[in-house]
Amino acid sequence: MRSDMMKKGLERAPHRSLCKAMGYTDYELARPIIGIANSANEVVPGHKHLHEIAYAVKMGVAMAGGTPMEFNTIGLCDGIAMNHQGMKYSLISRELIADSVEIMGTALPFDGMVMICDCDKIIPGMLMAMLRLNIPALLVSGGPMLAGRIGDRYVDLISVFEGVGARKTQKITEEELNILEDCACPGVGSCSGMFTANSMNCLSEALGLALPGNGTIPAVYAERIRLAKEAGKKVMDLVKNDIKPRDIATIKAFENALHMEMALGSSTNTVLHLPAIANEAGIKLDLKIFNAISAETPNLCKISPAGPSHIEDLYRAGGITAVMGELSKKGLLDLTQKTVSGKTLKEIIGDAHTLDEEIIRPIESPYSPDGGLAIMFGNIAPDGAVVKKSAVDPSMMKHSGPARIFESEEDAMTAIMNNMIKKGDVIVIRYEGPKGGPGMREMLSPTSALAGAGLDKDVALITDGRFSGGTRGAAIGHVSPEAQEGGAIAVIREGEIIEIDIPNRSLNVKLSKEEINGRLKEWKQPDYKIKTGYLYRYAKQVTSASTGAIFKE
């Protein structure tokens, strides 16, 4: 066993003594040791209940003959960190989480691991560590939050963000905003729409690194506890059969996840995370593969913010298994791929079928014939940009308008809240990329303010930063190269016409190549906004959004 390095033989008597100081017996130490990486804390609603999930996982491990040892990672809430300095630390926490799990899983040579997590950057961080360590492991999440309800209307966190814009424009009263604030997030779990956390938890099923139900069973259901126990038992099977994450997460598995991504219309942040996760397995996911798979994958779901339904509705409709069943009807998945359940995708799907065709459309009558995400290219974004096409109003699929230039999210937010943005404008927020931010902040506040003010069908927003999975409207992010690296977005001027063509995947400013190149020759790279601490180290090490914002080799 791998754990013998820290527990077996004469020389390991001191090591065993330290374990016995924690109450472990010789019998427990003789069994396979399973590391439980848990991101539980009391500052994130998606993580507040993860101690209960961990307890269930540990019971499953013990029932199957293993000895669980739990440790913790950091984890922050994007919603609470939004629109202030804290958001600079969201994406960058992904690397710290991956590194910390790698450290624990190497310094303490576990025989297997279970990754317990729930929110935006923690899930991809755990998956990155899983593939980097490549010891038998699986992921189990805490599950999605239930949607809130006001009368007969379902609401979620994005409803509150959009409520701020609605209140500012006098569309709702202060009392109505207070009611919304009180009702939108009714309990623990990852926020209830197809936002980043739930997108990643759903994609982990398609990737084969989590058990069926991981993405959609609500956090407060007893079924979630039973799933956690099953995860503890299954990791012991993986250890016994020496099945490692890279045996499962092959290029074909990532292609399956991309098909699922397009069918669900998942968060644009998955375009950052999937390449970063694949990179840990030595697999390169070029942005062009996203468009290629989107072209052949129908969009079957419109979960909030793209539509009125929530993850609990997707669960009722049959979950990810039912979506995979629809995709398999057109041969879009490699059903031979292994999963941590011990079954192939074909065996998992079985005779699964959709229970609500309003939530999961039949593949013969999708919402659109192509996927929910689109990668755009052009003279503004020669290395690519991304938009959640499924959450864009049809009237904004093609748009041309004058650039409104802002050097930070705060400047743009001030303009929106002071009614300085007009119909037809194209807001450009730059120097918010991985290096320029630093940290590539999400722009949920400005996009929600636009939606709340009723401008999401009239105003586009492009940025080298990124968006929350809850963003809707013509919001185009990840513009690469970013402004800080001398991308063309750095030299666009106020009032210049920007042309957006989402169906044809193009994003351009009406300037000649010669004019852009001339301006770039005169452009001087500004100093980093922050020159101390982890943000400064991150800015110097991180690569472009087009490569998943991974660290330089």
Side-chain angles (χ1 to χ4, degrees):
M1 289 188 290
R2 188 171 181 267
S3 61
D4 287 348
M5 287 189 283
M6 66 176 176
K7 70 182 186 184
K8 191 172 183 179
L10 176 65
E11 293 84 358
R12 298 297 180 260
H15 305 63
R16 293 191 296 272
S17 181
L18 289 168
C19 290
K20 288 176 180 179
M22 295 179 280
Y24 292 107
T25 65
D26 286 326
Y27 177 74
E28 289 172 294
L29 294 177
R31 307 202 305 181
I33 306 295
I34 306 301
I36 311 296
N38 186 6
S39 55
N41 60 51
E42 295 184 354
V43 295
V44 182
H47 292 216
K48 193 172 188 302
H49 65 305
L50 292 189
H51 289 303
E52 297 174 38
I53 299 294
Y55 181 74
V57 169
K58 290 187 284 188
M59 286 184 67
V61 169
M63 284 190 287
T67 298
M69 292 185 176
E70 182 182 354
F71 65 92
N72 289 96
T73 73
I74 62 168
L76 55 84
C77 175
D78 280 22
I80 297 173
M82 196 71 65
N83 197 33
H84 60 81
Q85 185 81 348
M87 180 46 70
K88 291 180 182 290
Y89 288 87
S90 173
L91 179 60
I92 74 176
S93 71
R94 185 187 73 181
E95 316 309 315
L96 278 177
I97 291 160
D99 290 349
S100 66
V101 175
E102 176 198 357
I103 288 168
M104 292 297 289
T106 305
L108 302 169
F110 302 121
D111 298 300
M113 295 186 76
V114 177
M115 314 294 185
I116 302 173
C117 49
D118 218 11
C119 292
D120 293 19
K121 307 309 160 301
I122 300 92
I123 301 159
M126 293 281 201
L127 289 170
M128 288 166 67
M130 189 188 302
L131 286 166
R132 188 184 302 173
L133 286 166
N134 201 35
I135 61 175
L138 55 75
L139 179 139
V140 61
S141 79
M145 184 186 292
L146 294 175
R149 189 165 181 171
I150 300 175
D152 60 356
R153 178 168 67 107
Y154 286 94
V155 293
D156 55 39
L157 177 66
I158 306 308
S159 308
V160 189
F161 273 98
E162 294 182 359
V164 173
R167 175 70 192 113
K168 186 69 177 178
T169 54
Q170 307 299 314
K171 294 190 174 188
I172 62 173
T173 66
E174 185 173 348
E175 182 183 2
E176 287 174 317
L177 181 59
N178 288 338
I179 292 170
L180 187 56
E181 176 184 325
D182 289 343
C183 296
C185 300
V188 295
S190 50
C191 296
S192 56
M194 190 55 72
F195 314 142
T196 306
N198 292 325
S199 295
M200 290 306 305
N201 278 327
C202 290
L203 295 185
S204 67
E205 286 190 47
L207 195 54
L209 295 177
L211 296 175
N214 181 71
T216 59
I217 299 170
V220 295
Y221 283 17
E223 188 179 355
R224 177 59 62 177
I225 300 297
R226 297 198 297 272
L227 181 74
K229 290 179 181 177
E230 190 64 21
K233 291 165 62 179
K234 284 298 180 185
V235 75
M236 294 301 295
D237 290 339
L238 295 173
V239 170
K240 179 181 177 181
N241 296 309
D242 195 30
I243 297 173
K244 301 181 177 69
R246 293 185 202 172
D247 299 327
I248 293 169
T250 63
I251 182 61
K252 290 295 184 182
F254 278 98
E255 288 174 1
N256 284 343
L258 289 173
H259 282 293
M260 178 59 63
E261 176 180 55
M262 298 306 167
L264 294 174
S266 60
S267 166
T268 52
N269 284 313
T270 60
V271 179
L272 283 174
H273 299 320
L274 285 176
I277 295 164
N279 179 67
E280 299 290 349
I283 296 169
K284 181 176 175 59
L285 285 186
D286 187 275
L287 285 187
K288 291 179 181 177
I289 196 175
F290 285 80
N291 275 347
I293 288 180
S294 178
E296 64 182 20
T297 310
N299 178 212
L300 304 181
C301 302
K302 279 193 178 288
I303 311 295
S304 176
S309 55
H310 292 84
I311 300 295
E312 65 204 72
D313 301 307
L314 182 58
Y315 165 77
R316 285 189 302 99
I320 298 307
T321 303
V323 180
M324 290 194 294
E326 289 298 322
L327 293 175
S328 68
K329 291 176 182 177
K330 287 201 171 180
L332 294 175
L333 301 178
D334 184 338
L335 300 180
T336 67
Q337 291 297 297
K338 293 186 293 185
T339 72
V340 292
S341 70
K343 299 178 181 179
T344 63
L345 280 188
K346 183 176 182 180
E347 291 170 322
I348 287 174
I349 293 171
D351 60 354
H353 58 280
T354 299
L355 302 177
D356 187 338
E357 292 185 354
E358 288 301 307
I359 306 300
I360 305 172
R361 285 280 184 90
I363 201 160
E364 298 84 8
S365 56
Y367 283 104
S368 68
D370 58 351
L373 296 183
I375 308 298
M376 303 178 70
F377 296 93
N379 63 9
I380 295 176
D383 292 343
V386 62
V387 63
K388 188 168 185 171
K389 184 174 71 68
S390 60
V392 178
D393 188 81
S395 65
M396 290 295 289
M397 286 293 180
K398 292 187 178 184
H399 179 76
S400 178
R404 301 296 309 279
I405 305 296
F406 300 97
E407 309 298 331
S408 71
E409 178 189 2
E410 288 85 356
D411 290 348
M413 191 66 181
T414 298
I416 295 167
M417 297 302 280
N418 288 317
N419 301 315
M420 296 166 63
I421 302 300
K422 307 302 180 188
K423 290 184 177 182
D425 285 349
V426 178
I427 297 170
V428 177
I429 306 177
R430 59 194 182 194
Y431 294 102
E432 289 286 5
K435 287 181 177 294
M440 203 181 183
R441 289 189 290 180
E442 289 183 346
M443 304 289 167
L444 179 59
S445 290
T447 58
S448 295
L450 287 171
L455 290 172
D456 58 304
K457 297 178 183 178
D458 300 289
V459 173
L461 191 157
I462 70 171
T463 180
D464 53 8
R466 61 195 179 94
F467 298 109
S468 162
T471 288
R472 62 186 173 99
I476 302 166
H478 306 192
V479 169
S480 300
E482 62 173 292
Q484 187 73 27
E485 289 195 305
I489 191 173
V491 295
I492 301 171
R493 295 173 182 167
E494 184 82 9
E496 291 178 338
I497 300 300
I498 291 177
E499 296 177 327
I500 297 167
D501 187 342
I502 295 174
N504 290 307
R505 311 301 197 250
S506 70
L507 177 65
N508 292 284
V509 59
K510 289 189 75 173
L511 293 173
S512 69
K513 184 177 181 180
E514 291 73 22
E515 177 65 22
I516 292 172
N517 289 340
R519 292 183 188 181
L520 288 174
K521 285 180 181 178
E522 297 176 1
W523 173 84
K524 289 182 173 55
Q525 185 181 50
D527 285 342
Y528 290 117
K529 293 176 183 174
I530 294 175
K531 297 182 181 179
T532 59
Y534 184 57
L535 275 172
Y536 184 46
R537 298 200 306 274
Y538 179 87
K540 291 194 294 183
Q541 289 180 276
V542 72
T543 62
S544 168
S546 63
T547 58
I550 59 174
F551 281 164
K552 295 174 184 175
E553 292 292 336

